[in-house]
Amino acid sequence: AEKSLVTDLARLEERGGKTLEAIAQLLDRNKTGFIPSQDLLMGLKSLCPASFGRLRPREANMLAGRIERGALVNITGINQPPNNGGVSVLGLVGWVRARQGGSDVGQKLERLFRMFEKVSGVSVSEIVHGSLSAHAFITAIRSLQQTIGSKDITGSDHFLSESSLQRFVEKKGDKNDMLDVSALLTSLGLIREADTKGASKEAKLDLSAALSRIGEKRIGKYFESWMDSETCLASIDAVLTGLSKFGLVRQVSVEDARLALVELASEKEGGFLLCSDLFKCVDWSWETHIKKALHVPLVEAETMGTGLADLIGQDIDLSLNQLQEIATLTGKALPRHIPTQDIDQFLTKLKNARISILEFAAGAGNAWGGATLKRLLLSIEASGTLPIHQVFKNMDQDGNGSLSHEELIEGLRQGLEAAKLPVEVSKDVSDAIKSLETSPGQGIPLHNFMDIVGRPFANYLEARLEAIIRTSNIDLSSIFQALDKDGDGTVTAEEMGVALKEIKGFEDATDQDVKDLLSRFDP
């Protein structure tokens, strides 16, 4: 009868589309994790009429009692049923599994270990390791089962009797009946042989792929969110958690991924990483990363006052303190994920190579050239009485509304000479002008020109509108009525935009420009 019942339940699981765990939970009507004796009898009769349903009442009671006693003995201390009899869902599943063919101890251990890792988020190798006696191994297994049970994970396939575990250790252990757990976990595929030597190749590839998904430009910001607030270090666990969102542990175990990070760590004993450690496993240059970070405040400083040269004086070298002062002045703080000693070493390297800080800043390319162009244009504006849009008009020799490369270079020379400023237009500025053209050879329109110097295009629109009103003989009320298309007594941004774009000089105005202009009259 017992064999027939186990066979029926196995067939039900195979053909019914439900796991044995789900079937056992059907008998747990109160959802407490336990099946009272009466519910066990009635449920098995309903589920297995061909085997249990044909038994006489006395035989059915005897078999149910065997299930209760057998399940209870084999899972001592785990999900114990109440005193009035019955069996836990976990116990029933274990009782059936123990009597099914092909379910050896190794397979059950593997299922148990994988369930534990899923529930706890901790690698089994961190809990069970070294060489253990039969008693110590059985105690460890019971501890894992209790952890799973405490998470209300019922019905998982990890039923193991004490006698079966004893025999397993005797069979797999050495002559002293000591079991090498690392070898066991390796044989079950839970850790790789490479783990005893270091991280697997797969883990290193996954780590590189996760970092590549973030990208070099963004890795600094992410690393700063993982860092300790007081240092430039981030714990390995914090980095592991952060990178898992980018697929680090999709293909490899948590332990394997952690090993890959440990191998990179500068502070292995404390379990901490520097951002530069992560650069070791991807094709990124930490020195180039520092260079790009330092260019930001220096380029910003070029647009202030008379430029970077004015801020650093006659010194061709730049100290860490000077750099920090410039960063504070420009509002472009130095990145927290780059240690100050790394920045200091980089500046020393520039000094030893006889590279001036201005030469280094020019290495920012078009960003540096654009900053210098902005400084020169603002200097020309400040030296005279013309607003910047009028400076543009004077430079636009052919009056086509766009400055060619030649027009802007010549306009700069004339403007600097008139302002009695050094007339020098560097190659950096020339290259930046070419990069700022809307398309090669098409020049720089007024809207883009205003963006370069950091002035709202609405400034030009307002000045242009005031000039039209001032030079025309039309009174303001007539202009307002012409703009107010629907006659509701107000001029909307849409009405203003339609009217302005019909006038020469306003063609490039965007909807946002018009809204900015209107906000000045009706905030």
Side-chain angles (χ1 to χ4, degrees), residues 30-45:
N30 298 322
K31 306 304 178 187
T32 61
F34 299 100
I35 308 168
S37 297
Q38 192 60 31
D39 288 350
L40 180 63
L41 281 168
M42 298 302 294
L44 290 177
K45 284 182 180 179

Side-chain angles (χ1 to χ4, degrees), residues 229-375:
S229 59
E230 302 295 328
T231 69
C232 295
L233 296 168
S235 71
I236 287 175
D237 285 340
V239 175
L240 182 61
T241 300
L243 290 178
S244 66
K245 297 176 182 178
F246 294 90
L248 176 57
V249 292
R250 288 178 187 169
Q251 304 296 328
V252 299
S253 69
V254 174
E255 178 61 22
D256 205 2
R258 183 180 283 106
L259 281 170
L261 290 172
V262 168
E263 290 182 8
L264 294 174
S266 295
E267 302 287 337
K268 286 185 171 60
E269 292 184 4
F272 289 95
L273 287 155
L274 290 166
C275 188
S276 56
D277 292 333
L278 299 181
F279 277 55
K280 298 173 186 176
C281 69
V282 279
D283 191 21
W284 299 339
S285 165
W286 182 243
E287 183 174 294
T288 301
H289 186 74
I290 295 175
K291 182 189 299 183
K292 291 177 180 178
L294 299 191
H295 275 152
V296 174
L298 296 178
V299 168
E300 186 65 21
E302 174 65 3
T303 66
M304 304 177 65
T306 56
L308 180 60
D310 182 54
L311 288 175
I312 64 175
Q314 298 302 312
D315 297 331
I316 65 169
D317 300 323
L318 185 69
S319 69
L320 178 60
N321 288 338
Q322 283 179 304
L323 182 60
Q324 289 172 331
E325 289 175 5
I326 290 174
T328 301
L329 181 65
T330 60
K332 302 293 183 180
L334 298 177
R336 288 177 52 239
H337 67 277
I338 302 179
T340 54
Q341 60 264 33
D342 287 7
I343 296 176
D344 203 22
Q345 289 173 5
F346 182 80
L347 294 175
T348 301
K349 188 173 182 179
L350 291 181
K351 181 179 179 180
N352 293 338
R354 299 184 180 278
I355 298 174
S356 73
I357 199 61
L358 291 176
E359 290 173 329
F360 167 70
N366 290 333
W368 171 256
T372 304
L373 174 61
K374 176 180 177 179
R375 176 173 61 81

Side-chain angles (χ1 to χ4, degrees), residues 123-197:
S123 171
V124 172
S125 61
E126 293 185 23
I127 307 299
V128 186
H129 48 77
S131 294
L132 301 179
S133 65
H135 175 73
F137 182 67
I138 292 170
T139 301
I141 296 302
R142 293 295 180 241
S143 176
L144 298 185
Q145 288 176 315
Q146 287 174 337
T147 299
I148 295 173
S150 67
K151 299 288 185 179
D152 293 326
I153 304 297
T154 58
S156 55
D157 186 10
H158 60 256
F159 173 83
L160 290 160
S161 68
E162 192 163 319
S163 59
S164 64
L165 288 172
Q166 179 74 43
R167 290 193 298 271
F168 181 81
V169 174
E170 291 173 355
K171 182 178 180 180
K172 297 288 186 179
D174 59 20
K175 62 181 180 179
N176 296 316
D177 287 337
M178 297 291 287
L179 181 66
D180 184 343
V181 177
S182 295
L184 170 63
L185 295 178
T186 301
S187 68
L188 296 177
L190 289 156
I191 61 174
R192 298 179 176 85
E193 291 182 10
D195 291 348
T196 58
K197 301 176 182 178

